[in-house]
Amino acid sequence: MRVYGYARVSTQEQAEEFDALNQQIARLKTAGATEILIDIESGRSDSRKQFNELLYLVQRNQVDEIIVTRVDRLGRSVITIHKAIEIFVKHEVNLRVLDAPVDPNSPFGWFSINQMSGLAEFESRLLSQRIKHGNNYFREQLKFCTPPFGYGKDENQRLVPNRNIHEKSGKTYFELGKLIIELILEMRSLKDVCTYIYVEYEIVFSVAGLRDWVKNLALQGHTAYFVKKKKGVNREPIINFDTHEALVSAATVEAIQQKLSANRRYRSSATSTRGDYPLSSLIKCAHCGGGMYRNFSRHKTKTEYMRCANYSKPGKYHCENSKCTRLREIIAQTITELCRHAPQLIDHLQSQSVTTVIVNTKEIENLSNELSVMRGLRSSNPDIIHAIAKIEETINSLSTPVKIVDRDAFENAQKQITIASQATFWESLDDLELRAALVEFVEKVEVNSSGSITPTFKLPLTRSSMRP
C-alpha cells in the first residue's frame, strides 16, 4: 500500500526548539507511513507546498492511505479541511487520524471531523485575536523589535542611542552612525562607503542595506510601524514623532536622497546596453557560483571583460576570484567547445528522446478492476491483503515496456546541432543574433581565477544539461 503521512507545524521555532515536528514524524512512521510530507506554515494558508502536493498525488490516484496525528494538521479552516476530505473520499483514500480515529465515509465520522475542524478554526482565530491585541499594546508602548545600526533598546524595549563602545574604532555605535551619514554625503557612492567602513571598522553593510538604513525613520527620532508595504496588505503607516534622540535630521536625509537620485540619473541611460551582449547572465564564477558583470577597459579600444560580481563585496560575501577575462575570449571558447562536442550532443539527444510506455492489455485491465474493488473493501483480513499484493505482483509481471522515439523532435534538434557545429554559422551572426543562438545551447559558462572557461550545454527542445 502507498501510505503517506502529513506533518505540519506553524513556525520554525516549533520545529526546532519544541521538537514538535520530529514528534509528529516519529508517530507517523510508527503508524506505518512510508512517505512523509512536511510543511512549516500556518494551517490557515491554502498555499502550503507539501499539502497541495499531497492533494495532487491523491487526485492522480497515487495514494491509498493518509495518516495525520490530528485533524488540525490538515488545516485550521473548516473549508480547507472539508475540501481535502472530499477529495480523499472521492478518490477512495483512507484517512487515519491517530489522536481521534474517525471514518469520513460514515455520517457520524463526517460529523465528528466537521466538529474538530470547527474547533481547529476557532482556536486559530482566537490565537490570531490575542496576537493582534498583543501587537497593538506593543505599538502603543512605542516598543521596537530590531533597532537599526546606531541604536539599542532600554528596559522598556524603546529605542535609545547605542552608547556601547565599538572595539576597533573606540567610538560609540551612535557616533559611528553619524560618521557613516557624513561619509555618504562626502563619498562618491554607497558602494564606496560600504567598502570604506568595512576596511576601516569591519562594519558590514550591503549597498541596498545602507540605502534602507538611511531611509529608516528611526534615525530621525521617530518610532514608526507599517512603513514598508507588503504585498496584499494595505495598511496606513503609524508614525510616532520625536520619541527618542535623532541621529540625522530630515534635511540631511533629503540631501542624501537627492544625491542618490543624481547618481542614478548620471549612471542610467535610455540607450543602455547592459545585459544586451552574448552570454548575458550565463557567465558564472566557478568559485562562488555568483554572476559576473561586464566592464570596459579604459583604453580607447574599450575592450569588454568579465569579473566576479562578488569580488568587490565585503565580509562573508567576498569572493577571491579577481580574474578579469575578456568577453570575446569566453564567447570564442564556448563556440569552439560547442562545435567540438556536437557529435556527443546528438548521441545524448538520441538517448534522451526515447520514452517508455506500458502496454495495458485486456488482462491487466481486468486485474486492475479487481484490485480497485478489493482495495475499496478496506479490510484488515490477512487473506484479502495477501490477495491484493498478489494481484499487484501479477500486474507488474504482465506490464510490457515499449520504447518509442519522437522522430520529429529528434530530427529537428539534430538539425539545429549540426548547423551549430559549423564555425561559419557563428561567424555570420551579429551580436544580437549570437546572443539569441547561444541561449538555445548554453546552460552556463563557468570562469575560474586562472581564466579557465568551462561551458555547460543544454539540448534544444529537451533542455537536458550536458557538460563536455
Side-chain angles (χ1 to χ4, degrees):
M1 290 182 68
R2 297 162 295 183
V3 182
Y4 279 76
Y6 178 71
R8 181 190 64 79
V9 290
S10 298
T11 64
Q12 192 69 40
E13 181 184 23
Q14 287 177 304
E16 294 177 357
E17 294 187 18
F18 300 104
D19 211 28
L21 188 59
N22 288 334
Q23 291 178 31
Q24 287 186 54
I25 293 170
R27 292 187 65 192
L28 294 173
K29 286 182 177 179
T30 303
T34 55
E35 297 284 343
I36 297 177
L37 301 179
I38 298 166
D39 277 317
I40 301 177
E41 197 169 349
S42 170
R44 299 187 68 176
S45 171
D46 289 336
S47 60
R48 287 170 280 150
K49 185 176 180 181
Q50 294 302 309
F51 177 70
N52 289 323
E53 175 69 15
L54 181 64
L55 297 181
Y56 174 77
L57 292 171
V58 170
Q59 290 167 332
R60 294 287 298 273
N61 296 316
Q62 296 179 14
V63 181
D64 296 319
E65 186 176 41
I66 294 171
I67 307 174
V68 292
T69 56
R70 300 198 310 268
V71 167
D72 63 5
R73 297 306 87 196
L74 292 174
R76 287 281 189 175
S77 163
V78 172
I79 295 175
T80 299
I81 297 174
H82 185 83
K83 286 182 177 178
I85 293 176
E86 272 192 337
I87 293 172
F88 300 161
V89 172
K90 180 180 177 181
H91 293 273
E92 299 182 348
V93 174
N94 183 45
L95 174 64
R96 185 144 51 106
V97 184
L98 300 181
D99 287 350
V102 290
D103 179 10
N105 293 295
S106 71
F108 181 76
W110 185 263
F111 174 70
S112 299
I113 288 175
N114 276 276
Q115 277 190 317
M116 289 186 282
S117 302
L119 182 60
E121 182 166 349
F122 169 72
E123 290 175 345
S124 177
R125 290 180 180 275
L126 194 62
L127 178 61
S128 177
Q129 189 177 52
R130 287 172 181 167
I131 292 173
K132 184 178 179 180
H133 289 322
N135 287 339
N136 287 337
Y137 179 78
F138 182 91
R139 289 187 287 270
E140 287 169 2
Q141 300 300 309
L142 303 179
K143 297 182 179 182
F144 213 85
C145 290
T146 306
F149 183 89
Y151 285 92
K153 293 191 290 186
D154 62 13
E155 63 277 5
N156 296 316
Q157 303 297 305
R158 296 183 181 184
L159 288 176
V160 291
N162 189 344
R163 305 294 185 186
N164 294 328
I165 302 298
H166 181 258
E167 187 175 343
K168 186 167 183 179
S169 66
K171 302 177 182 292
T172 66
Y173 283 89
F174 192 69
E175 290 172 337
L176 282 173
K178 290 185 176 181
L179 176 62
I180 292 173
I181 293 295
E182 293 172 3
L183 291 172
I184 293 173
L185 289 168
E186 294 172 3
M187 302 188 80
R188 184 173 61 94
S189 67
L190 292 181
K191 182 179 178 181
D192 292 342
V193 176
C194 291
T195 303
Y196 179 84
I197 60 178
Y198 175 72
V199 173
E200 292 294 321
Y201 306 115
E202 295 182 357
I203 297 172
V204 178
F205 263 109
S206 66
V207 173
L210 190 59
R211 188 184 295 113
D212 288 342
W213 178 75
V214 170
K215 293 189 290 186
N216 195 326
L217 291 176
L219 271 62
Q220 300 177 45
H222 315 316
T223 301
Y225 309 100
F226 309 117
V227 175
K228 284 189 176 182
K229 295 293 183 182
K230 291 185 178 180
K231 188 177 181 180
V233 179
N234 185 19
R235 186 164 184 175
E236 290 298 318
I238 299 174
I239 303 175
N240 301 283
F241 294 95
D242 303 322
T243 57
H244 53 273
E245 185 178 344
L247 188 148
V248 63
S249 68
T252 303
V253 172
E254 180 63 27
I256 291 173
Q257 294 302 328
Q258 289 178 2
K259 178 180 178 180
L260 295 180
S261 298
N263 285 351
R264 195 175 295 113
R265 287 195 299 271
Y266 173 75
R267 294 184 179 188
S268 300
S269 171
T271 58
S272 173
T273 58
R274 183 179 182 181
D276 290 337
Y277 58 89
L279 295 177
S280 170
S281 76
L282 300 178
I283 305 175
K284 307 293 182 182
C285 174
H287 298 274
C288 67
M292 302 187 78
Y293 69 92
R294 180 178 60 159
N295 214 333
F296 298 87
S297 68
R298 295 182 179 179
H299 192 265
K300 61 182 180 180
T301 58
K302 296 294 181 183
T303 303
E304 301 167 288
Y305 63 88
M306 305 300 296
R307 191 177 201 178
C308 177
N310 292 329
Y311 174 72
S312 57
K313 290 184 178 179
K316 63 180 180 180
Y317 304 105
H318 176 69
C319 178
E320 296 295 334
N321 186 4
S322 61
K323 179 69 176 178
C324 296
T325 307
R326 292 176 183 238
L327 175 61
R328 294 298 152 180
E329 183 180 339
I330 297 173
I331 295 170
Q333 285 199 34
T334 300
I335 292 172
T336 300
E337 290 296 310
L338 177 58
C339 295
R340 189 160 67 89
H341 290 278
Q344 287 178 252
L345 287 170
I346 293 173
D347 291 342
H348 185 61
L349 175 65
Q350 188 167 21
S351 66
Q352 292 294 311
S353 62
V354 177
T355 57
T356 301
V357 297
I358 303 297
V359 175
N360 190 12
T361 64
K362 189 67 177 177
E363 185 178 359
I364 294 176
E365 186 177 343
N366 293 335
L367 287 170
S368 298
N369 292 335
E370 290 180 20
L371 185 62
S372 297
V373 172
M374 296 187 74
R375 282 177 176 167
L377 296 174
R378 305 191 184 282
S379 174
S380 58
N381 188 313
D383 293 334
I384 294 178
I385 294 173
H386 178 72
I388 290 174
K390 191 68 176 176
I391 293 174
E392 288 177 339
E393 184 180 341
T394 305
I395 290 173
N396 291 333
S397 65
L398 290 174
S399 300
T400 308
V402 176
K403 291 185 176 180
I404 298 176
V405 180
D406 187 348
R407 300 305 308 177
D408 291 338
F410 170 68
E411 289 174 3
N412 185 28
Q414 184 181 27
K415 188 183 296 183
Q416 289 188 48
I417 296 174
T418 303
I419 293 171
S421 65
Q422 308 300 316
T424 53
F425 165 74
W426 298 103
E427 292 170 359
S428 66
L429 304 179
D430 61 24
D431 273 4
L432 286 177
E433 295 170 331
L434 186 60
R435 181 188 177 195
L438 285 172
V439 165
E440 287 295 316
F441 296 96
V442 180
E443 185 76 40
K444 63 179 177 179
V445 181
E446 293 180 318
V447 182
N448 65 18
S449 56
S450 63
S452 177
I453 299 165
T454 307
T456 300
F457 299 121
K458 63 184 178 185
L459 296 177
L461 306 180
T462 64
R463 302 297 186 188
S464 300
S465 298
M466 179 178 176
R467 184 185 292 273

